Amino acid sequence: MNRPSLPVLTALLLVALAGSTATAIAQSDDKAHQTSASISPTVDFRSARWLSDRDIINDNAEVIASVSDLILDRGSGRIEYAIIKTSGNYGTSGKLVTVPYTSLRWEAGDKDRFVLAATTEQLTLFPEYTAERWNAMRDGSKKDENGLRDRLEADNKSSGDPYAGSLENSVNTRIEGEITGVERVRTTTFGEQVEVSIKTTDGSTKRVAIGPSWFVNATNAAPMRGDKVVVDAMSLPRDPEQLLAASNYRSGNRELRLRDASGSPTWALKTIESNGQSYSAPYSRYLPISKITGLKVDCRGDDCGKVNDVILDRHSGQIAFLSIDPNQNFLGISDTKRLLPWSIATVTLDDIVRIDASKDMVLQSPETPADITTLSNGTHAERVYKAFNVPAPRFDPAEKRVDNRMSDPSNAWGHDGAVNGAIERSAVTSMQGSVLDITDVKFDNGTAPARAIKVRSLDKSQGDYLVLLGPVTYMNNQRTMCKVGDSIKLDAYRTTIDNRQYWLARSVDCNSIRVVLVDGNNAPAWAQR
């Protein structure tokens, strides 16, 4: 086995390997032991109505716009964009434009206003929003007049497929049984993923990755605890937890096609099919929050009323709860509003909110307080999660948006650059050992530095390996996955930089987290287009 020569290494001040963290929001079986439902002390719960009525100032404390609505990821419930109304000039009324939610920050003090580093004139450069244009986006064949759909399509594509490149030698299998748990696994690189636990007919339990939550939960086939299912799946041979990747999912007459025979994901197509209807991918994934209020609620087949309000943590921009009017009393008069965790709710493309709980559970859930801010203190919020036997999510601040679609051939790390072009697909190796060091590697001739990891192989005859992970500019925007001393498994390709050979990580397994950095089509995570 040829090993690459080692250039001079620059030790990092922070000994941390950047990768995708995965936080699981689990829905376990109703009879299972209850998991922790503790709430982070830094949350600040507010209603969507309150959040959609905030002023926006610039760095000079001048009001330049106001929030009109918020655009969510349909699966994760995280705010991706704010729809804001600009302040018009010279008596004009302004217009609605969309800005990334992470570009906004809260003003210091108690004025409850957003701050955006922009002028009124600069706001006009952002994509314009109208209800007509949003509805027209449903048809992916129509021309995008102002770039909003193009931007959302680019964001959607950047999440990629966490198992690309891992299914080449997979074995197909069929699983039949009952779903005992549903998890929404958050990753930095690939978005939120749905995984299920299935108790099979022979008594064993299989864990199956279904797909991105925005894609899975937009359909009426979204998995729920207690569902009897038949799942066609593909093995992930090197996954330490023996996870399977579903290609087709069926529960009764509800079916969800997830991958084709080659393992390519259905959600990567430009058009999504659901219940005999076609939708563009961005329309399927993203949803104005105002459209959720008033939707009908279905509790495992029973009518549970409608959504009365949506409650978010304003710091993370993450939905925490739905407030439900269960229509318990005659004509709904004086109904008690009930709180439900977002992690048991799905919003389908045909505008139904499906709840993974019985109607009796909903009617017995904690009430929605008159003052939503009281949920941020005490045990009220924790009782909501415990009532449905699900853990409270981590309300982590959203990552700042960075443009990883580096396609300029003059950029060595770009999609068409020298590093990617020099990958030898026939020269692939697997490594297993412990992390010795995390370093930055500098190159000559203008190639941007790379984050690298030094691994001591379990096979002492192989010595130590230096494996490049990706460009430092990309890795700095990822979260910590490994540290020195951790056990690690890697698959790596060989590539050439400045006439020297290096190993370039294809995938990394560390601390029960798997990160795919270069997929089976040689598309690096930092250069997804």
Side-chain angles (χ1 to χ4, degrees):
M1 180 182 300
N2 294 327
R3 295 175 55 199
S5 56
L6 305 183
V8 177
L9 305 179
T10 303
L12 290 177
L13 294 176
L14 297 177
V15 183
L17 167 60
S20 288
T21 57
T23 303
I25 303 177
Q27 295 164 234
S28 57
D29 185 274
D30 292 344
K31 298 179 182 178
H33 177 70
Q34 285 194 343
T35 50
S36 172
S38 60
I39 305 294
S40 168
T42 60
V43 296
D44 186 2
F45 294 125
R46 302 295 181 116
S47 74
R49 295 188 183 97
W50 181 90
L51 201 59
S52 298
D53 190 32
R54 300 297 96 197
D55 282 337
I56 300 174
I57 62 173
N58 60 17
D59 290 330
N60 295 323
E62 300 166 332
V63 176
I64 58 173
S66 60
V67 179
S68 176
D69 205 345
L70 304 162
I71 297 177
L72 299 167
D73 180 297
R74 185 186 296 269
S76 68
R78 189 182 290 276
I79 303 173
E80 298 292 342
Y81 286 88
I83 302 172
I84 67 176
K85 185 173 184 180
T86 64
S87 298
N89 292 323
Y90 309 109
T92 60
S93 60
K95 64 178 182 179
L96 296 176
V97 299
T98 55
V99 300
Y101 186 72
T102 52
S103 66
L104 302 171
R105 69 179 191 274
W106 285 101
E107 181 184 18
D110 58 358
K111 294 184 179 180
D112 292 329
R113 299 188 298 187
F114 284 110
V115 181
L116 178 63
T119 65
T120 302
E121 292 74 18
Q122 288 171 333
L123 289 180
T124 63
L125 302 177
F126 286 93
E128 185 176 2
Y129 175 92
T130 67
E132 294 75 20
R133 284 177 174 172
W134 183 269
N135 292 332
M137 189 170 63
R138 170 175 172 165
D139 185 351
S141 65
K142 291 186 177 180
K143 183 179 179 181
D144 184 14
E145 297 182 2
N146 72 335
L148 176 58
R149 189 180 70 210
D150 287 345
R151 173 170 289 192
L152 295 178
E153 281 183 343
D155 289 346
N156 184 47
K157 287 181 180 178
S158 67
S159 58
D161 177 11
Y163 307 112
S166 301
L167 302 173
E168 295 171 350
N169 300 312
S170 63
V171 177
N172 294 326
T173 186
R174 172 165 288 186
I175 304 163
E176 298 186 38
E178 179 179 326
I179 292 182
T180 58
V182 181
E183 294 181 64
R184 300 184 185 184
V185 181
R186 295 177 185 170
T187 72
T188 300
T189 304
F190 301 106
E192 186 179 78
Q193 303 287 317
V194 176
E195 296 180 7
V196 299
S197 297
I198 301 175
K199 186 174 182 180
T200 65
T201 52
D202 64 5
S204 63
T205 297
K206 302 290 186 183
R207 291 185 62 248
V208 184
I210 305 298
S213 61
W214 68 265
F215 176 77
V216 175
N217 292 346
T219 73
N220 64 6
M224 294 192 175
R225 296 167 290 184
D227 282 352
K228 302 294 192 298
V229 297
V230 178
V231 181
D232 293 321
M234 310 170 81
S235 64
L236 298 171
R238 289 182 293 274
D239 187 86
E241 298 182 0
Q242 297 183 322
L243 187 69
L244 301 167
S247 57
N248 195 73
Y249 174 96
R250 187 171 73 252
S251 177
N253 61 355
R254 297 180 287 118
E255 186 171 12
L256 183 58
R257 299 185 183 279
L258 297 156
R259 297 177 183 272
D260 63 19
S262 68
S264 297
T266 306
W267 59 84
L269 300 175
K270 287 188 175 182
T271 301
I272 306 299
E273 302 291 332
S274 179
N275 295 334
Q277 301 292 321
S278 297
Y279 306 86
S280 72
Y283 185 91
S284 301
R285 179 167 185 171
Y286 301 104
L287 176 70
I289 199 170
S290 60
K291 292 184 177 293
I292 299 178
T293 303
L295 291 184
K296 293 182 179 179
V297 179
D298 175 276
C299 297
R300 295 179 179 169
D302 291 328
D303 181 3
C304 275
K306 62 182 180 180
V307 178
N308 181 67
D309 202 356
V310 181
I311 298 166
L312 308 95
D313 167 44
R314 71 164 172 169
H315 295 308
S316 64
Q318 171 71 46
I319 294 182
F321 309 104
L322 297 181
S323 177
I324 302 297
D325 180 350
N327 287 344
Q328 183 179 9
N329 298 325
F330 179 68
L331 298 179
I333 298 173
S334 300
D335 271 350
T336 299
K337 309 302 186 293
R338 302 291 178 177
L339 284 177
L340 309 179
W342 173 257
S343 55
I344 65 168
T346 63
V347 183
T348 66
L349 283 165
D350 52 3
D351 295 333
I352 300 293
V353 175
R354 299 176 69 235
I355 303 298
D356 188 5
S358 67
K359 186 171 184 176
D360 286 342
M361 293 174 69
V362 170
L363 294 178
Q364 295 172 26
S365 65
E367 297 181 19
T368 304
D371 181 359
I372 298 299
T373 61
T374 61
L375 288 170
S376 305
N377 304 297
T379 62
H380 195 140
E382 293 178 8
R383 288 191 292 112
V384 179
Y385 292 104
K386 288 181 178 179
F388 295 92
N389 196 27
V390 294
R394 282 171 40 188
F395 293 98
D396 295 324
E399 297 288 331
K400 289 287 185 182
R401 288 191 178 276
V402 292
D403 188 356
N404 296 324
R405 292 166 282 126
M406 303 183 295
S407 58
D408 183 358
S410 65
N411 177 357
W413 289 100
H415 188 279
D416 303 312
V419 176
N420 194 37
I423 288 177
E424 302 174 40
R425 297 196 67 181
S426 60
V428 61
T429 188
S430 296
M431 310 170 189
Q432 185 171 354
S434 59
V435 178
L436 286 180
D437 196 9
I438 300 108
T439 64
D440 281 357
V441 179
K442 293 184 176 180
F443 307 102
D444 299 326
N445 301 324
T447 300
R451 182 68 39 82
I453 184 168
K454 193 173 184 180
V455 178
R456 173 150 295 169
S457 175
L458 290 179
D459 184 350
K460 295 183 179 180
S461 66
Q462 300 296 331
D464 302 338
Y465 291 92
L466 179 76
V467 184
L468 307 183
L469 300 173
V472 170
T473 52
Y474 171 79
M475 301 305 295
N476 281 344
N477 284 288
Q478 310 307 304
R479 294 181 180 176
T480 301
M481 185 180 73
C482 280
K483 62 182 183 298
V484 171
D486 283 347
S487 297
I488 191 169
K489 295 180 181 179
L490 304 100
D491 290 333
Y493 284 131
R494 191 161 56 205
T495 189
T496 301
I497 303 176
D498 293 342
N499 296 317
R500 291 183 177 181
Q501 290 186 334
Y502 296 88
W503 290 114
L504 176 65
R506 173 182 174 183
S507 64
V508 180
D509 291 279
C510 189
N511 290 327
S512 300
I513 300 171
R514 179 177 177 81
V515 178
V516 177
L517 292 166
V518 181
D519 68 20
N521 297 317
N522 274 17
W526 55 85
Q528 293 285 340
R529 294 190 291 183

